Structures are given as structure tokens and as C-alpha cells.
Amino acid sequence: GVRASLLGALQKPGAREVLLAQTLWVFAYAALPAFFVLYAQHELELGLGAAGALPLAFGLLIGAGMIAGGRIKREQVHPALLAGTALLGTGLLLASLTTNVGVVAMLLAPAAIGAGLLTALGFPYFARFVPAGEAGGYSGVFFAARGVASAVALPLAGVTVELTGTYRSVFLLGAAALVALVPLIGAESRRAGAPATRP
């Protein structure tokens, strides 16, 4: 069952690190869609039409990142995940420091592309740690972790905005993506040190 798969994934070297990394990087940007228009109106002083275009552009760039991720060669998957994580976290954190529309756009663009790379490559990389015959259960655990991260990020972002009085604080959750670099690096070291049982 899912519970057994969860326990297995948490006990499996490499798989647990990827699960943690994914939870952190999804947490970093999951709340953005709910706050983008309010952020654009109140912090960037954009009209409703322009404010609505911001999440659209972010989503399109995530799609572009996913397409780019689909063209990554197998040996480049882990470096691309590291790059995507760094782009996401750095872009979001730096965007929290300014209300200049042009600068914000330049920072959010690479952040969105990074999110797209992570979305495209996260599961293929996780699959490298899945034991034979456990693909279904481990897949459920992987995507359940995404749901949990999204569910936690939204109310926490709301509390952060309430406490700080600024919608820019939603971008501070991007720090979680930078923290995700640690388990992501650890996962690859686990894989490199394991017997070559999977291609």
C-alpha cells in the first residue's frame, strides 16, 4: 500500500533525499499562483490586466523549462536539477528585494524556467532509486509529497504576508529551494556510491 511505499521510500538511500528535495522546491513556489495578481497590483502597482499577465507569463516560462528539461540527456539530469533548483531559489529571493517591474521580470523568468526543469526532471531522477516492482507505490509517494508541499505552502504564505504586511514576502519561500540543494547533492552521492543495479 501507499503507507508501505512511503516507509520504503523514506528508508531507501537516495529516494528519501529526492523526496525531501522535491518537497522543498515545490514548497518554494506552490503559493505563487494564489498571490501573483495581488502582488502585482499592490507591490508593482500594475493594472488588473497587466497583473493578470504576470502569472500567465510565469506559467508559460515554466512550460518552456519543462520542454527544455525533456531534451536533457540522461547524464545531465542531475546537473540540470541542481541548476533548476538554484535558478528557482535565487530568482525568487532576489525578486523579494525590489518592486522595479523590469528587474522583477528578469528575476522571475529564470525562476520559472528553473521550476519547469524541476517539474520535468524530478520524477525521472527519483525513478533511478525505485526498487524493481515498486514503481506504482513509489510514484504515488512522489506525487503525494508534491500535494503536501503545495497544501502547506499556501496558508504559510498567507500568514507570512499578514505578518510582514507585504506580498513580496511570498517570494521568501524561495529559500526552501536553495535548502533543497543539500539533499539533492546527497542523493547523487548515494547513487554514485551504490552498486550499479539499475541502468
Side-chain angles (χ1 to χ4, degrees):
V2 175
R3 182 177 179 181
S5 296
L6 175 59
L7 292 174
L10 293 178
Q11 294 171 359
K12 174 75 172 174
R16 61 171 173 252
E17 284 84 3
V18 180
L19 278 179
L20 175 57
Q22 183 211 209
T23 300
L24 288 167
W25 75 54
V26 170
F27 178 81
Y29 71 90
L32 290 181
F35 289 93
F36 251 141
V37 173
L38 291 170
Y39 160 77
Q41 286 185 295
H42 291 274
E43 302 295 338
L44 305 182
E45 298 181 348
L46 298 177
L48 185 58
L54 188 61
L56 175 61
F58 193 82
L60 290 173
L61 287 170
I62 287 178
M66 293 177 68
I67 292 172
R71 297 177 177 176
I72 296 291
K73 295 181 180 179
R74 179 178 174 82
E75 62 273 14
Q76 297 174 331
V77 168
H78 186 258
L81 283 173
L82 293 177
T85 304
L87 286 171
L88 174 63
T90 303
L92 293 181
L93 284 178
L94 291 178
S96 72
L97 302 177
T98 180
T99 55
N100 182 292
V101 177
V103 175
V104 167
M106 287 191 296
L107 293 170
L108 290 184
I113 291 172
L117 287 173
L118 295 174
T119 302
L121 299 175
F123 183 75
Y125 184 69
F126 177 73
R128 297 180 182 185
F129 302 95
V130 176
E134 298 287 337
Y138 272 62
S139 298
V141 169
F142 182 85
F143 291 105
R146 293 182 63 88
V148 170
S150 298
V152 172
L154 188 56
L156 184 58
V159 170
T160 303
V161 170
E162 185 70 24
L163 292 176
T164 60
T166 173
Y167 288 101
R168 283 187 292 162
S169 61
V170 174
F171 293 135
L172 295 177
L173 298 183
L178 296 182
V179 176
L181 287 168
V182 176
L184 199 53
I185 292 170
E188 185 65 8
S189 66
R190 295 276 194 178
R191 193 177 76 87
T197 56
R198 293 177 64 86

